[in-house]
Amino acid sequence: MNFPLLNYLTELLFPRLCVVCGDRLIDQEHFICLRCLHHIPRTNFHLEPDNPVARLFYGRVNIQYATAFFYFNKGSKYQTLLHSLKYKGMKELGEEMGKHLGIDLMQSPGFSSVDIICPVPLHPSKEKKRGYNQSWWIASGIAKQMNKELSANNLRRITATESQTRKSRFERFQNVEGIFELTNPTAFNDKHILLVDDVVTTGATIEACAEAILSVSGARVSIVTLATA
């Protein structure tokens, strides 16, 4: 079988397109073209400890560092990236973006000192319905890029909750209070844990995760998300 010809026909019939602009991707590009990746509205908060994402958690939960990779606005072309990851089954897109995020995190002494990468978990029923946890794929990309341990099963969501999307800030906190626990708390003893999620808005879900982790002796928590509104 002529594999180059087969690849050519596959690309002709099912072209790989950038999830942001829709242009055809070249061989070295994966999911997002280099032009869109270059113009992605990065926050660079990983270089600024006192930043808006970190301030979300001031006085609420004791974190070390917090950042988000890029900004997005409702209706912007970069919102399609998040929508593709979360709702269109493009889970590998999360890993690809996680790798790019990991490159940025390695520039920061605070983030490069983490021991374990931990995704914010979905409830098993929701993960089964969606087919995957997008935060796990982002965390996987970060862990591979930074050469860190990925902890996928220690932090778990024990209660299925309603979507946070249409809830007020106060309702979001009520919705996630006490819904996370650790299956093996000692695995996080004296470890610096990097919590990973796709988007941060009020920070209610991440705060609930952090509280569960910080119940462990000597544990420290930092936070990273792919995007912030």
Side-chain angles (χ1 to χ4, degrees):
M1 183 178 292
N2 189 328
F3 287 103
L5 178 60
L6 180 60
N7 291 338
Y8 172 78
L9 291 174
T10 301
E11 180 65 20
L12 186 66
L13 295 172
F14 306 102
R16 298 181 309 115
L17 304 177
C18 173
V19 297
V20 176
C21 69
D23 285 353
R24 188 186 293 266
L25 298 174
I26 62 175
D27 288 345
Q28 295 82 9
E29 297 172 338
H30 304 283
F31 300 103
I32 181 172
C33 69
L34 292 175
R35 183 179 64 253
C36 287
L37 185 62
H38 176 73
H39 290 291
I40 197 166
R42 301 185 185 218
T43 69
N44 289 316
F45 289 162
H46 62 291
L47 302 175
E48 181 185 346
D50 182 20
N51 64 67
V53 174
R55 290 182 208 128
L56 276 176
F57 302 96
Y58 286 178
R60 290 165 45 181
V61 64
N62 183 25
I63 63 167
Q64 304 297 305
Y65 305 96
T67 189
F69 187 39
F70 67 90
Y71 296 102
F72 84 96
N73 296 310
K74 190 173 182 180
S76 79
K77 63 181 182 179
Y78 287 99
Q79 188 180 19
T80 64
L81 187 156
L82 296 170
H83 194 269
S84 297
L85 167 62
K86 197 167 183 177
Y87 301 113
K88 292 189 176 181
M90 298 183 68
K91 55 192 179 183
E92 294 87 355
L93 170 61
E95 186 170 74
E96 178 69 14
M97 297 307 296
K99 290 177 181 178
H100 290 292
L101 177 50
I103 292 172
D104 278 2
L105 297 180
M106 291 170 69
Q107 300 172 12
S108 166
F111 285 103
S112 62
S113 69
V114 300
D115 300 301
I116 298 173
I117 314 293
C118 179
V120 169
L122 294 176
H123 188 269
S125 61
K126 188 169 186 178
E127 185 168 349
K128 183 178 180 180
K129 182 178 180 180
R130 181 170 294 168
Y132 61 96
N133 176 6
Q134 69 277 4
S135 296
W136 183 92
W137 284 89
I138 299 167
S140 175
I142 295 172
K144 287 179 179 179
Q145 186 64 48
M146 298 183 70
N147 194 28
K148 301 288 185 179
E149 177 185 347
L150 176 64
S151 174
N153 300 309
N154 196 2
L155 180 66
R156 69 187 189 111
R157 187 183 297 239
I158 57 177
T159 304
T161 56
E162 299 174 352
S163 171
Q164 298 277 71
T165 304
R166 299 185 182 277
K167 294 186 179 296
S168 68
R169 179 182 293 268
F170 180 68
E171 289 172 333
R172 288 178 183 232
F173 287 108
Q174 285 186 313
N175 195 42
V176 296
E177 186 176 6
I179 68 169
F180 297 99
E181 70 174 18
L182 297 175
T183 59
N184 180 20
T186 58
F188 284 175
N189 277 356
D190 301 313
K191 300 294 186 181
H192 185 182
I193 311 300
L194 181 62
L195 265 175
V196 179
D197 207 358
D198 55 351
V199 179
V200 60
T201 49
T202 64
T205 300
I206 297 174
E207 179 182 348
C209 290
E211 287 177 342
I213 294 171
L214 291 172
S215 66
V216 173
S217 175
R220 292 165 291 141
V221 172
S222 289
I223 292 164
V224 63
T225 65
L226 193 59
T228 181

